[in-house]
Amino acid sequence: DKLKELSSENIKTFAAGRTDAGVHAAGQVVHFDSNSVIPPNRWANALNSRLPDSIKILESVAVPHDWHACFSAMYRHYRYIINNGKFTNIFFNKWTWHKYQISLDEYLMNLALKGMKGKHDFFAFQKSGSSRSTSITTIKDIEIKRTGDLILVDIKATGFLYGMVRSIVGQLVLVGEKKITPDIFFKRWSEKKKDQVLQSAPAKGLCFINSVYNKNFF
């Protein structure tokens, strides 16, 4: 544990959002308590010198004692990237889901998003094994856009259920492939038909973009 190497303390960390195995993070926020003499702004460089190239600390700052990386967040932003091109891309392959068999109809996929914004019960998109007491959460914004061969699915919500984004994307791809209609997509989640939500997107296309706070310290 790199924090223990630096501080000689058993430090517990708290992250803004979860990233399951295979999921990436571009702007993860983590907080921890320490009595170390290391100045708050020096932790980033100290840790980066010990971390692998795949992990980098962008900045470290002091925060109030009552501030929490997870519970103080107003909402979180996840992005899922689908490569809808004919060929794999060696630069994007580790971070995208390659769906090349059919050209996805992003217009239909956007139609399927109708009604998702706001506070709803998204039980249909929650995978088994969740420790949450409720499947109700609030989606602040959700959109789909195509950039060349890449289809970006951006979701901002106050909280995310276990497996929620990957389940949503898996069902949206069915819409884009015209295997189900936007109305069927809507009924599956609004009527909590979890038994019909069988296709889920792979982990590697999902990225935790950032979390937004009422007052930012970094």
Side-chain angles (χ1 to χ4, degrees), residues 7-28:
S7 66
S8 298
E9 300 173 298
N10 292 316
I11 293 177
K12 185 175 182 180
T13 58
F14 302 88
R18 65 181 299 150
T19 51
D20 299 328
V23 176
H24 310 285
Q28 182 66 277

Side-chain angles (χ1 to χ4, degrees), residues 5-215:
E5 285 181 14
L6 287 169
S7 66
S8 298
E9 300 173 298
N10 292 316
I11 293 177
K12 185 175 182 180
T13 58
F14 302 88
R18 65 181 299 150
T19 51
D20 299 328
V23 176
H24 310 285
Q28 182 66 277
V29 178
V30 176
H31 93 260
F32 60 86
D33 296 320
S34 173
N35 293 315
S36 171
V37 296
I38 299 174
N41 66 327
R42 298 296 299 275
W43 277 96
N45 287 339
L47 286 169
N48 282 333
S49 66
R50 291 167 168 78
L51 291 169
D53 290 339
S54 59
I55 303 173
K56 288 301 172 188
I57 311 299
L58 302 179
E59 189 174 4
S60 57
V61 298
V63 294
H65 290 294
D66 61 351
W67 189 91
H68 196 285
C70 180
F71 302 132
S72 296
M74 294 190 297
Y75 65 87
R76 296 156 185 80
H77 177 191
Y78 280 88
R79 171 178 290 167
Y80 198 96
I81 306 178
I82 303 167
N83 176 11
N84 196 211
K86 184 177 180 181
F87 303 104
T88 58
N89 186 307
I90 60 172
F91 300 105
F92 298 144
N93 190 47
K94 290 183 178 180
W95 301 281
T96 60
W97 181 18
H98 190 205
K99 290 292 293 181
Y100 59 90
Q101 298 92 341
I102 298 174
S103 179
L104 299 176
D105 190 328
E106 67 269 21
Y107 174 76
L108 288 178
M109 294 168 72
N110 268 300
L111 285 182
L113 304 181
K114 183 179 179 181
M116 293 192 75
K117 291 183 184 180
K119 188 176 183 179
H120 303 288
D121 190 336
F122 293 103
F123 173 76
F125 294 135
Q126 179 175 273
K127 288 187 176 181
S128 300
S130 173
S131 59
R132 284 178 62 108
S133 59
T134 177
S135 51
I136 296 174
T137 191
T138 301
I139 290 182
K140 296 182 68 68
D141 194 23
I142 180 169
E143 64 175 359
I144 297 170
K145 59 183 177 182
R146 179 187 284 271
T147 303
D149 290 332
L150 301 181
I151 295 178
L152 313 180
V153 183
D154 285 281
I155 307 178
K156 299 175 182 178
T158 56
F160 286 86
L161 312 178
Y162 178 52
M164 178 178 171
V165 178
R166 292 168 58 193
S167 292
I168 289 175
V169 173
Q171 297 303 297
L172 286 172
V173 164
L174 293 178
V175 174
E177 292 174 331
K178 300 180 182 179
K179 292 180 179 178
I180 64 173
T181 65
D183 284 341
I184 290 176
F185 174 91
F186 175 78
K187 288 181 178 179
R188 283 185 176 179
W189 72 261
S190 64
E191 297 178 9
K192 295 184 281 188
K193 296 181 178 180
K194 187 175 182 178
D195 61 318
Q196 295 182 15
V197 179
L198 303 178
Q199 180 169 326
S200 178
K204 68 176 185 174
L206 182 58
C207 181
F208 180 89
I209 300 297
N210 65 354
S211 52
V212 176
Y213 301 90
N214 185 40
K215 182 178 181 181

